[in-house]
Amino acid sequence: RTCDCGHIAALDPQHRLLGLHMYDGLFKIIPALAGGTLRSEAFNVRMEELYLLDLCFLAGTPRPTLATLHEDSKHQRYLKTHEVAVRDKALSD
């Protein structure tokens, strides 16, 4: 289902990929070439965080790393990071 908090887009600071959060529990990744041109093979990955408040990619990391701020059903907020493995088309904690 569509996100209650609105759509969120983030660009990796090293221009390695673009990320889009448009649906709860799903994150779309669009890899980029070395010059920053987006490739056509986008893919989706599952996210455990259902109520995502905000996200961004961290600078200076060897692999693209996504930081997420999310809220649980008790209205407690959490910050979590995920490394993006483009080759495996997956997120890792």
Side-chain angles (χ1 to χ4, degrees):
R1 82 183 176 131
T2 305
C3 303
D4 292 333
C5 62
H7 299 192
I8 304 172
L11 178 64
D12 174 63
Q14 284 84 23
H15 306 280
R16 297 173 285 196
L17 53 88
L18 174 71
L20 302 168
H21 182 252
M22 299 181 292
Y23 300 99
D24 288 334
L26 202 61
F27 189 68
K28 181 175 286 293
I29 296 172
I30 307 170
L33 299 172
T37 304
L38 296 177
R39 297 191 309 202
S40 59
E41 66 260 10
F43 59 93
N44 293 318
V45 292
R46 290 258 174 227
M47 296 184 77
E48 294 176 10
E49 302 86 358
L50 293 180
Y51 191 69
L52 196 64
L53 300 171
D54 203 1
L55 59 84
C56 69
F57 283 100
L58 302 178
T61 57
R63 293 174 69 177
T65 303
L66 181 69
T68 62
L69 177 64
H70 65 280
E71 188 173 272
D72 65 12
S73 60
K74 298 176 184 174
H75 302 288
Q76 294 186 359
R77 294 183 177 189
Y78 301 91
L79 180 64
K80 188 173 183 180
T81 59
H82 303 276
E83 280 192 351
V84 179
V86 175
R87 185 178 300 146
D88 299 331
K89 296 183 179 180
L91 295 177
S92 62
D93 295 340

